[in-house]
Amino acid sequence: MALTLRSSTSFINLKDTRSLKTLDDVSSIVCFAQIRPSCCLQPKILMQESQTSHERSLNLEDGRNEKWEKFHRLSPTHGKNDSRVPVFVMLPLDTITVGGNLSKPKAMNASLMALKSAGVKGVMVDAWWGLVEKDGPLKYNWEGYAELVKMVQKHGLKLQVVMSFHQCGGNVGDSCSIPLPPWVLEEISKNPDLVCTDRSGRRNPEYISLGCDSLPVLRGRTPIQVYSDYMTSFCKRFKDYLGEVIVEIQVGMGPCGELRYPSYPESNGTWRFPGIGEFQCYDKYMRASLQASAEAIGKMDWGRTGPHDSGQYSQFPEDTTFFRKAGTWRTEYGQFFLEWYSGMLLNHGDRILAAAKGIFRGTGAKLSAKIAGIHWHYRTRSHAAELTAGYYNTRHRNGYLPIAQMLGKHGVVLNFTCMEMRDGEQPEDASCSPEGLVRQVKMATKIAGAELAGENALERYDTAAYAQVLATSRSDSGNGLSAFTYLRMNKKLFEGENWRHLVEFVKNMSEGGRSTRLPESDSSTTDLYIGFVKERDGTKAKEAVLV
């Protein structure tokens, strides 16, 4: 099974393709065969009808609550959405090697060419702090990224770059390990309170603690200064490409690049789905902030430590005193703590984005921020898993509106995950509602005047997932999507059926979410054919291996 591009024009150099054949560790193949000329390049593929997605009720326990409805229920349909939604594709996490070079550049070249032919707008890449600044403070190596930028430009694609200030490894989909810069890890070894810490004292090296944002704990610089210097260096290095090739800067603000606490770490079996997670507020800097906040309202006891009754990572809400129906989260103390905890996260995002806005102002590149799609226990009253992650969202409180308002203030796009998920696919006992969560975020961004983009949370290649993204991309209720980034480019994506589904999806998104059927082949205008490669007499094919 392979990917075949038919074109009267030459996409790549024959000499290059021969050298690509030496990459024996990759199995997907692109075949180029000369056919009669055609005036344009159009994808024509075998498509399956997208199935209509029916909204599911949220099955609220004990009947619908009026306050919940006020914050979460959708308004009537706002009308038909005719906007086109550009599709980007995430590149592999290890696109840049530990040595700072572009990994498998010839294979990457062929892959980008295939994506361009499929109608994809561009690609996304992580600019890892742990790779770029690994040789020491203020010593940056952007060379591998420079090579990628030029290659993306050559193919007429656009690039989204993630300022990845977090560790790679230990979370869903992490296929490689990229720790924080060695000099930062050295500082952490001397002062373990620099990283997020749970009630049991477990240190999480994924991300620097929010509590020391404004303290000079990284060799004389604050974390915010370190992040700002990094972004400034990037901006100077790629000033000639910003706004033209590099169209978006996604500012990482937590684990997985998401604005959240590392409350559900999978490494070493610490957390298992659908556990509620744990609060990450026990390093000395977070505790000092909590104590100061409690003293400010005359409640000294509230600042001594975090909740003692909030359970453990893999428990359910009803297993705890804090998160159960009438639990501590509803008390005056619970509200104080959750407002402080979520407020620290909002302030963290506000600081970094204010810096980023100043750095990238006038470049023409958009800024975006990623928010996690924590959909488990969404149907419960407390929304425990969201609370431990820092999103103060409950049945009675809209926790995504303040986030959307903060992003909107800076003109930052809210990039939300789990756009591909359906309620019916989730385990019943987990009280999931990804559809309800997405609807709530769509409405929050609309109210806040913030732009909304989306991603899929897990690798999916099936038509049901694509159909769900198509449905959520429209502005029927709340904001429609301004862009969608597909996770992620790999060998499996280029397999026959998977590739057909992607091309179909890209075309439908370009038509405002409308689904149409194309013939598998058309002898008069077909330029892109995806399918099983069979022997063809008298045809010489040029081959290039894909990553």
Side-chain angles (χ1 to χ4, degrees), residues 77-209:
T77 297
H78 293 281
K80 184 178 179 180
N81 172 33
D82 293 320
S83 63
R84 298 181 177 185
V85 183
V87 175
F88 291 76
V89 174
M90 294 185 200
L91 296 181
L93 293 169
D94 58 355
T95 291
I96 304 299
T97 68
V98 174
N101 301 311
L102 180 61
S103 178
K104 300 179 182 177
K106 292 181 180 179
M108 177 65 71
N109 185 69
S111 300
L112 293 178
M113 180 191 54
L115 292 175
K116 175 65 176 179
S117 299
V120 167
K121 181 73 171 179
V123 293
M124 172 182 276
V125 68
D126 287 276
W128 294 107
W129 183 27
L131 295 181
V132 175
E133 201 177 356
K134 73 181 181 67
D135 292 334
L138 300 171
K139 295 179 180 179
Y140 306 106
N141 177 9
W142 297 109
E143 295 316 302
Y145 292 97
E147 186 177 356
L148 176 66
V149 170
K150 292 175 183 176
M151 188 179 292
V152 169
Q153 181 185 43
K154 179 182 72 173
H155 289 291
L157 293 166
K158 304 300 181 182
L159 186 62
Q160 300 169 318
V161 181
V162 185
M163 300 288 106
S164 296
F165 299 116
H166 61 285
Q167 166 190 285
C168 178
N171 285 294
V172 176
D174 285 353
S175 57
C176 62
S177 177
I178 304 173
L180 301 185
W183 62 272
V184 174
L185 295 178
E186 185 178 326
E187 295 303 309
I188 293 171
S189 68
K190 292 187 255 182
N191 181 8
D193 283 293
L194 289 178
V195 296
C196 296
T197 307
D198 65 20
R199 190 172 73 247
S200 300
R202 291 187 190 89
R203 309 288 189 179
N204 191 321
E206 288 185 69
Y207 194 71
I208 300 295
S209 170

Side-chain angles (χ1 to χ4, degrees), residues 314-385:
S314 297
Q315 287 186 300
F316 277 53
E318 291 303 310
D319 296 333
T320 75
T321 303
F322 191 91
F323 294 116
R324 65 189 184 189
K325 287 182 183 178
T328 311
W329 65 277
R330 302 193 66 174
T331 66
E332 186 181 357
Y333 162 72
Q335 293 171 20
F336 157 78
F337 174 79
L338 292 170
E339 285 173 1
W340 166 80
Y341 188 70
S342 61
M344 288 290 286
L345 189 67
L346 277 173
N347 290 337
H348 174 68
D350 190 49
R351 293 186 194 105
I352 297 182
L353 292 177
K357 182 169 66 172
I359 293 165
F360 292 102
R361 181 182 286 117
T363 63
K366 281 186 177 182
L367 293 180
S368 69
K370 189 173 175 181
I371 306 300
I374 303 175
H375 56 86
W376 53 103
H377 304 301
Y378 184 84
R379 284 188 172 131
T380 64
R381 295 187 179 190
S382 65
H383 293 227

